[in-house]
Amino acid sequence: MGSRPGGGFGRPRAPRPPPTPEQILALATKEHVPARIAKGELEGKMKCRVWRKLHAEEAKRFDQVYELMGQNPGLSLPDAFGVLQSGLTVAEFLARKERTQRKAAVKQARGEVDDSSVGTFINGLLESKTELAIVLGERTVLDTLASVEPISFVLGRSGRLEKLQVVMLTRRTDWEQLTPHLERDQKLAQKPVNVARQPDKRPFSDPRPFLAHQGERVRLTLRNGIQLTMRLRVVGRFDLIVGEDGHEVFVPLHALVRFSAENAPDAEMPGNEAEEND
């Protein structure tokens, strides 16, 4: 029983080895189908040509995507779909993708830094109604803090002031003592650098590299040319606090164009933009 004509018994077939990623990709690219369909054919399931007949509209989109990938070597399948869905050119889509990734990286970096010490410092100045010197690009405002909003300081006499305008902030008495001894970059003093609205386009938006220098004397060049050499006391998500206890100087990261530890070369914004104002 069970013998074949000519004698002998049938042997079960050995299972075929699973397809490799390279085999799946090669077949998917050749047939212009999703990887899962190519994998299925290699495993003995539905063939790619059958899937294309059953799903003509989707197959047409895959033809367009693979044509786009052939015209742009290095373009991934998800990015090619993104180009088609967005209606942008390949260059426009990749530029937008890069901007999105940079913004996400900045957001993540800021989230990894504790901001409570900076908040405590600012709230202390607010509650004490301390007379402050708020240095802007081309002028200095003498006033007190009335309240703090997410993107603005509200001053006691001058009203709302956007935080992006602030270059540095300190007590008025400290500013009067500091001013006669300040060093300045004359080119920046004559033509302060504008602050980019997008954080990822600023020279310094990731606070994490500053953490290694807490407690050290650092050298800061601000966008209006002011140069400070002081001890780095606190690193926050958006700001630094430098100086000595009771004589602190608040410096937003957006105001920086160059930074270094006192005995190290300056890190600065690329392309010598520190001396330009677009």
Side-chain angles (χ1 to χ4, degrees):
M1 293 178 62
S3 63
R4 290 182 178 179
F9 291 87
R11 296 180 179 177
R13 291 183 180 180
R16 67 175 70 186
T20 65
E22 291 77 13
Q23 291 172 325
I24 295 170
L25 178 61
L27 183 59
T29 303
K30 176 184 176 183
E31 298 292 341
H32 292 187
V33 297
R36 60 183 173 82
I37 302 301
K39 182 174 183 288
E41 176 169 327
L42 293 169
E43 292 174 341
K45 300 173 186 176
M46 183 170 60
K47 292 186 176 294
C48 297
R49 58 181 174 80
V50 175
W51 178 88
R52 289 183 58 83
K53 288 181 180 179
L54 295 174
H55 302 83
E57 283 299 316
E58 193 173 354
K60 182 179 179 181
R61 286 198 296 274
F62 271 87
D63 286 338
Q64 294 172 322
V65 164
Y66 278 105
E67 180 182 359
L68 198 58
M69 292 169 65
Q71 295 169 350
N72 298 272
L75 188 67
S76 69
L77 186 66
D79 284 350
F81 267 109
V83 171
L84 288 180
Q85 291 168 357
S86 68
L88 301 173
T89 66
V90 172
E92 289 169 342
F93 176 83
L94 293 178
R96 188 181 71 176
K97 179 184 175 182
E98 183 181 0
R99 288 195 302 271
T100 301
Q101 290 174 335
R102 289 200 307 265
K103 289 177 182 178
V106 169
K107 184 176 181 180
Q108 179 182 351
R110 288 172 168 174
E112 294 177 6
V113 175
D114 180 17
D115 206 42
S116 59
S117 295
V118 172
T120 299
F121 172 74
I122 293 295
N123 286 334
L125 297 177
L126 188 156
E127 292 170 2
S128 64
K129 299 297 181 183
T130 302
E131 187 78 7
L132 303 173
I134 301 114
V135 181
L136 311 181
E138 297 176 332
R139 64 191 178 95
T140 299
V141 176
L142 303 177
D143 210 329
T144 59
L145 281 180
S147 65
V148 179
E149 298 178 351
I151 62 171
S152 304
F153 291 121
V154 179
L155 306 182
R157 297 184 294 275
S158 306
R160 183 172 285 100
L161 176 67
E162 188 179 17
K163 289 180 179 178
L164 285 184
Q165 296 183 52
V166 177
V167 174
M168 60 177 277
L169 175 156
T170 190
R171 297 170 181 84
R172 178 175 180 174
T173 52
D174 291 329
W175 175 246
E176 290 171 349
Q177 294 179 13
L178 189 62
T179 303
H181 309 289
L182 278 179
E183 297 180 32
R184 295 179 183 268
D185 180 308
Q186 292 304 316
K187 290 185 178 179
L188 292 176
Q190 294 172 11
K191 193 175 184 182
V193 174
N194 288 329
V195 179
R197 288 283 168 182
Q198 300 85 354
D200 57 287
K201 292 186 177 181
R202 298 172 194 159
F204 300 95
S205 54
D206 184 346
R208 294 173 301 180
F210 297 91
L211 293 170
H213 299 286
Q214 282 189 123
E216 298 179 8
R217 286 180 64 80
V218 296
R219 184 175 178 83
L220 312 177
T221 299
L222 310 184
R223 67 182 186 88
N224 65 349
I226 289 178
Q227 297 177 326
L228 302 173
T229 301
M230 295 180 172
R231 185 165 67 91
L232 177 56
R233 298 177 56 84
V234 174
V235 177
R237 291 177 184 170
F238 311 95
D239 319 285
L240 306 177
I241 297 176
V242 297
E244 299 305 321
D245 189 22
H247 303 280
E248 298 90 349
V249 177
F250 169 90
V251 179
L253 287 178
H254 64 247
L256 283 178
V257 294
R258 289 193 292 271
F259 165 86
S260 70
E262 190 173 21
N263 297 317
D266 282 354
E268 64 180 276
M269 57 198 304
N272 204 30
E273 294 176 37
E275 298 179 359
E276 300 175 5
N277 185 343
D278 297 329

